[in-house]
Amino acid sequence: MSQELIAADVVIVGAGAAGLTLAHALTAPGGRRLSIVLVEAPEGPLRPPDRTWCFWEEAEGEYEDAVVASWRRLRVHGPDGERIERELDALRYKMIPSTRFEEVVSERLGSTSGVRRVTATAHEVRQVSEGAEVRCTTVDGNELTVRGRSLYDSRPPRVRPPSRTTLLQHFRGWFVHTDGPVFDPDVVELMDFRVPQPRQGLAFGYVLPLGPRDALVEYTEFSRAPLSRQAYESALELYTREVLKLGPLLVRGAEQGVIAMTDARFPRRAGSAAFRIGAAGGATRPATGYTFAAVQRQAREIADGLRTEGRATAPAPHPRRALAMDAVLLRALDTGRIDGPDFFTSLFRHTPPDRLLRFLDGRTRLWEDIRIGFTTPVRPMLRTALELPLLRRTAERGPGAHGGGRTPPLAEEGTDDTPAGPGPRPRL
């Protein structure tokens, strides 16, 4: 069995959304030229499945050639059937399949010097005098050590950090083709609460139209435990037949996943030269499950620090104020102090859509946050905010990986370099 050492300026472990985005950001024009090694897992369970990512941004973005659909109108249905439809001003809601994103970024990296991709199973990361290194096993069974002045690890933690509240955003979606034109290609159904609600938590439908006869239709719950495969199938059958009334349809594919919505604090530093990025570093927005946009912001900041100042760091993916508000919302939902469907319906009813999406990205100003706060049930939210500092964070009993990287309706999501169900579409 042979042993090999590869050295570079920057080592990136994991070739999902976070790893590929960081590698791409480090090769942008201008600034210092850095040598990069990207360690990607071999085919098998360590690689995340294909999924769909949704996010919003102004005009054309950096990955526009990977976008397969975009929308400027958003719709929410309340539990009583109330229909709220809004048109975005500057923002656009966009969808990127993970396979297309990987193709686009891989093509760009392939035409860039200084980037080496290594297929191997990564093991432990450790600090060394020259920076940090990761020990790996190649597909041939050989030992490989990859060392860098700085190292960025996007693999999910084995155990999730302690939290006060953790809910699961779990879902299953069908890619459907209908006999007739039943979808409006210009409108996304972000949250449709016209589905039976669980005893605890909330449930909603989510529709991403890809054409008059094609769409991704999902059933999603926020609760403490996922459902069985059959339960999701039954819920989707009910939603497509009785609520959406789609008529005869063909299911061309499916995606399923679980996203942890938690107020746990994800450490971003694993050593003086080793950092965690993506969902492993807290990029998943706790109250929505969105991940993709935060991954992009974090990667750009990391790359700017390394290429302009030679400074290695992993900036916080979300502002503290946003995380504090998310912690209150999660606790209020988990305790049942607020009615989830009524809460989110009211939020969309009273908040301009562009402001709401900026709020979900943590990019609103304090006065905007206060105005949005007054559209929510003030007393139960205030009670929850006052009790949070008194609650202890407890360790997770289940696995620490963020399941699914799907995009939540008001999420990211979702998701990123973790083994999971499809997609990153945002969710609330």
Side-chain angles (χ1 to χ4, degrees), residues 13-228:
V13 182
L20 287 172
T21 299
L22 179 55
H24 183 254
L26 288 169
T27 60
R32 302 181 183 183
R33 296 184 63 85
L34 302 170
S35 58
I36 303 162
V37 175
L38 179 62
V39 181
E40 51 190 325
E43 294 292 340
L46 293 180
R47 283 201 177 190
D50 297 342
R51 52 221 188 281
T52 305
W53 294 321
C54 289
F55 62 104
W56 47 89
E57 65 182 352
E58 296 181 8
E60 292 191 356
E62 191 170 12
Y63 301 105
E64 203 65 28
D65 45 355
V67 173
V68 297
S70 65
W71 306 269
R72 62 181 304 168
R73 289 164 60 198
L74 310 178
R75 181 190 300 142
V76 169
H77 271 99
D80 60 354
E82 177 188 8
R83 171 173 163 163
I84 304 169
E85 191 168 310
R86 300 283 187 264
E87 184 167 336
L88 294 169
D89 183 12
L91 298 175
R92 295 294 179 269
Y93 193 76
K94 300 181 179 183
M95 173 182 177
I96 292 182
S98 61
T99 51
R100 180 58 184 155
F101 178 78
E102 290 162 9
E103 289 172 0
V104 168
V105 177
S106 294
E107 182 178 350
R108 295 179 184 177
L109 294 179
S111 61
T112 303
S113 61
V115 180
R116 179 174 178 179
R117 302 182 70 163
V118 175
T119 302
T121 300
H123 304 300
E124 72 272 18
V125 170
R126 64 181 183 181
Q127 199 69 31
V128 294
S129 58
E130 299 88 348
E133 66 182 23
V134 58
R135 296 180 60 189
C136 309
T137 303
T138 68
V139 291
D140 298 326
N142 295 321
E143 294 183 1
L144 170 66
T145 299
V146 185
R147 181 178 300 162
R149 295 180 181 177
S150 58
L151 183 148
Y152 293 88
D153 191 350
S154 64
R155 296 172 300 166
R158 294 180 180 177
V159 178
R160 199 160 37 234
S163 66
R164 292 168 300 201
T165 309
T166 294
L167 293 176
L168 299 180
Q169 179 183 152
H170 50 98
F171 58 91
R172 182 170 175 82
W174 287 346
F175 290 89
V176 303
H177 178 76
T178 59
D179 279 2
V182 295
F183 299 109
D184 184 342
D186 296 327
V187 185
V188 169
E189 186 84 46
L190 275 183
M191 305 186 92
D192 188 344
F193 293 109
R194 297 174 297 170
V195 297
Q197 295 298 312
R199 292 183 178 179
Q200 184 178 32
L202 60 93
F204 58 90
Y206 178 64
V207 182
L208 291 171
L210 303 175
R213 300 170 62 191
D214 296 277
L216 170 58
V217 180
E218 292 195 0
Y219 172 82
T220 299
E221 282 193 17
F222 291 0
S223 61
R224 294 184 180 180
L227 306 179
S228 67

